[in-house]
Amino acid sequence: MHQTSIPAAGAAFGLSFETFADPGVGLEQQERFGEDAGAVAPSLLVWQAPRALVVGRADARLPGFAGARAALQEEGWPVLVRRSGGLAFPISPGTLQFALVRRGGPGVTLDSMYSELADTILALLGGFGLTGEIGEKPDAFCPGRYDLLLAGRKVAGLSQHWRMRNGQTMVTCVATLIIEEDAGELARVVNTFYAAAGGAHRCGLAAVTDMRRLLATVPPQAGTLVEEVRAHLRARFPA
């Protein structure tokens, strides 16, 4: 586990925000982001959507997947299957999803992409007075080497997808940041899915957290922290 360097403000990202009424449309947009742009400069998509549980392709092959998907749909947690690997993680109106896309080329590696997005989110947390660090949280949902932690609990997780488009390698590194959501509920949904689907992984109820819980002061009106985060990003990166 180690702390990472924080990039200077005004890094060269083109930033766009989206809000989707259907989380499936948001996931599709994330996975297609940058494919038709043709631009060399990296772009950052930040999006929000209603609740959903996003799972990897291996999870979709679990013996009880169909039943688990139907049960969570009834609870208001539709299950979406993403292109990339990894385990299940939830999204909600209290989270923001990040997708950083750039062309492959010299110096673009798995670790460089992870570090670039991790540093961006850690800088964002630092703007709110929160000190995050990189380190895998094995008992959290979708654990990985580039989990982002606050006070030892997971607040974001990262994954990547590489593909060829028009003879060019396109790399998308994605993350979900938990801003103001009941972390225990997120863990419960993941555990409900795996128990019903026949998967072995479980998420500890104390393994995840959200930004709001750790802030010394919060916005004066309930439900505004996500907007505060969006405003911070707008100030940091060009539109």
Side-chain angles (χ1 to χ4, degrees):
M1 188 179 297
H2 64 279
Q3 290 189 316
T4 186
S5 60
I6 302 300
F13 292 152
L15 177 65
S16 59
F17 288 99
E18 295 283 356
T19 300
F20 300 100
D22 181 339
V25 174
L27 181 62
E28 181 180 3
Q29 178 74 8
Q30 173 176 284
E31 294 186 333
R32 293 171 58 88
F33 184 55
E35 289 184 358
D36 57 355
V40 176
S43 298
L44 182 65
L45 170 67
V46 180
W47 61 280
Q48 216 177 343
R51 286 179 165 183
L53 184 69
V54 183
V55 305
R57 290 176 175 176
D59 285 338
R61 295 192 291 269
L62 289 171
F65 174 75
R69 189 177 209 175
L72 285 180
Q73 178 72 43
E74 289 186 3
E75 286 194 32
W77 283 95
V79 177
L80 310 175
V81 181
R82 68 185 185 274
R83 292 178 183 175
S84 58
L87 299 177
F89 65 88
I91 65 173
S92 77
T95 72
L96 281 179
Q97 285 57 248
F98 295 73
L100 173 63
V101 63
R102 64 158 66 243
R103 286 186 182 182
V108 178
T109 66
L110 281 167
D111 282 338
S112 73
M113 289 294 294
Y114 277 134
S115 293
E116 189 172 20
L117 185 55
D119 288 354
T120 298
I121 296 174
L122 289 173
L124 169 66
L125 295 172
F128 286 84
L130 298 174
T131 301
E133 58 186 350
I134 298 173
E136 184 171 354
K137 188 68 174 172
D139 57 338
F141 50 72
C142 198
R145 286 192 301 122
Y146 279 87
D147 288 343
L148 302 185
L149 312 179
L150 288 175
R153 296 183 177 188
K154 183 170 181 172
V155 74
L158 281 66
S159 64
Q160 273 185 64
H161 178 61
W162 291 56
R163 73 272 190 205
M164 292 295 296
R165 288 294 181 271
N166 300 319
Q168 294 282 344
T169 301
M170 301 297 295
V171 187
T172 302
C173 188
V174 303
T176 293
L177 175 63
I178 309 171
I179 297 173
E180 46 186 351
E181 186 59 83
D182 181 349
E185 170 64 6
L186 300 184
R188 184 198 68 80
V189 168
V190 171
N191 291 343
T192 297
F193 169 76
Y194 282 118
H201 186 72
R202 296 294 185 272
C203 177
L205 296 181
V208 292
T209 191
D210 65 330
M211 286 179 63
R212 178 179 287 275
R213 181 181 304 184
L214 295 174
L215 286 176
T217 60
V218 297
Q221 296 180 348
T224 61
L225 185 54
V226 171
E227 287 303 315
E228 291 284 332
V229 171
R230 289 164 66 109
H232 184 93
L233 284 165
R234 285 192 187 97
R236 188 172 187 86
F237 302 111

